[in-house]
Amino acid sequence: MLELKLVNKVVRRDSHISNVSLLLERSSLNVLLGPTLSGKTTLMRLMAGLDKPTSGDILINGKSVLDVPVRKRNVAMVYQQFINYPGLTVYENIASPMRLAGNTKSDIDRRVREAASLLRLEPYLDRTPLNLSGGQQQRTAIARALVKDAELVLLDEPLANLDYKLREELRLELPKIFAESGAVFVYATTEPQEALLLGGNTATLSEGRVTQFNSTIEIYNKPADLVTARTFADPPLNTMNVIKRGRELQIKSNGRIKSVSLNDRASELPDDKYILAVRAHHVLLSPDNQSKLSFNAIVSGSEITGSETFIHVQSGEHRWVVLAPGVCRVANGDNIDLFIDPDRLYLFDKQQKLAHEPAKIAAGA
Amino acid sequence: MKGVKLSVVFVYILFLMLPIYWLLNMSFKTTNEILGGFSWYPKNFTLESYITIFTDPTWYNGYINSLTYVVLNTIISVSFALPAAYAFSRYRFMGDKHLFFWLLSNRMAPPAVFVLPFVELYSAMQLFDTPLAVALAHCLFNVPLAVWILEGFMSNVPREIDETAYIDGYSFPHFFVRIFMPLIAAGIGVTAFFCFMFSWVEMLLAKNLTSVSAKPIVAVMTRTASTSGYELGLLAAAGVLTIIPGAIVIWFVRKYIAKGFALGRV
């Protein structure tokens, strides 16, 4: 069990981590999700004991570990860069934490070969890391973290520098590999997709703050505030200023006011200004039979991936991204109509707190 | 075009090698032949000069003394520079950049400035006329140089390797010797080479800090030229022998020497 209590880290009057409190359970998978420079690595370094917090306390199993040096803590860490000891063979690299812990030779040999077979490194045990491919190097680093049997396993964007196929493969394997160890497992990533694929719990980070900590799906469905919602959206979240009047939601499009009627739950919100947010794949290019909020936009660019098309549009001061299924042919400058199902809307109040989540999520769909 | 290029290189190397050849040539001649006239090769080939050097203690002790303080200095410089360079490479502390630059600026003062205080100090400490005195004096410019070169090599090693080692459970000394030093072995080699070279060729401090019992070869050579008339053959042989240790050391670090000149910052 790892507990962070009001942890702050200030470097040269720059606050890198502010007031982070987290409780990470044993045998749990925890994702730190945030853009670059949001403080993921700093937070991990604090958890590992590589840096000391400016204030606050860090406890492992209820005991403060602030004064315990890194090497006495039972921690394993894998970096985004492939970090191994270049002078040692893959075998010695994996064995090194066990050798230092004073395990017997046969014990070390057994565990190293186990880890190597799990990570498919057996043919390379006698090579040195620099003679391996990136994926093999990173697997070596992961194997070293695995044999240690640490209480706390920290993975700092471990797959970011790997090619697509290897990432898919390792992403599936990693949680399984560490699941049995009973360790607190922390995984940092910049990609919302990766967090969703890993599952478990997620802490979203923004500018050194944890904006929300909950089960991953829960955060995705009900982000507590706009910042969290933005962190947990790829492609970026589409937002727009709206006014709620009675049962109606009003937007300004091309100088005209358009409105759509809200469902019962949303109409109970007080009349006020709100920020409407909708995910890219919930913006439609054609209306189906339900009543939709619709407005006009100009295409500013499109990217076709084959199975889907990203369309960048501009409507007034708003820049949106629409994710359309399949190949969708639009030209820059085209005038298109966008439709939004009111049941897919998030509404955030003036303090940017979540005021209303989409009806389909509230209903548990 | 290729022929022109080749001949330029050829002429260049010829000019470079000519003085060395001439030194070698002279070392196999008698002094009379050297003074007698011009010849491209020794007409009366003799090893007499070399035999004198290897049998006369005033000569071979010069080499022993020189090698003693040079090796001593290299060991002292590298072993003190290693932790210092590690600190500069890994930690940020108040005035670190200024201190780092100041270290290098030590090399800008001519050694002559330090002769008088050194002679006084070492005499007071009973160190005068010992190889240790010269070895320590040469640290003045070799330690800063070693710190500079090593810092460059160390900064090329990612800090994460240090951290991984601590996480794995290495203590600092264990990590430093077992993991870190092998990683910068080339840098240590280059540093040792530069310390060796600078200490080997330095004459002013070496000559002034010794009188009889620790006289270095560079000082022995100047003495012979002035007192015993013209013993040019002997001098040439001594010169040839003085080139050899440097050449041997260069052979060992030849692969890394360019990196060393860039202070490891390649």
Side-chain angles (χ1 to χ4, degrees), chain A residues 45 71 75 79 85 96 148, chain B residues 163-168 170:
Chain A
R45 294 176 59 84
R71 68 192 190 94
V75 189
Y79 291 88
Y85 308 124
S96 96
K148 203 187 171 190
Chain B
E163 293 173 356
T164 302
Y166 301 147
I167 287 173
D168 279 357
Y170 280 95

Side-chain angles (χ1 to χ4, degrees), chain A residues 266-277:
Chain A
S267 13
E268 282 163 21
L269 290 170
D271 289 2
D272 202 350
K273 287 180 181 166
Y274 287 92
I275 300 158
L276 169 155

Side-chain angles (χ1 to χ4, degrees), chain B residues 90-107:
Chain B
R90 290 296 193 257
Y91 299 104
R92 293 285 148 266
F93 47 89
M94 207 172 77
D96 54 351
K97 293 207 175 70
H98 302 289
L99 191 61
F100 195 55
F101 180 74
W102 172 78
L103 267 178
L104 197 76
S105 70
N106 271 343
R107 283 203 61 87

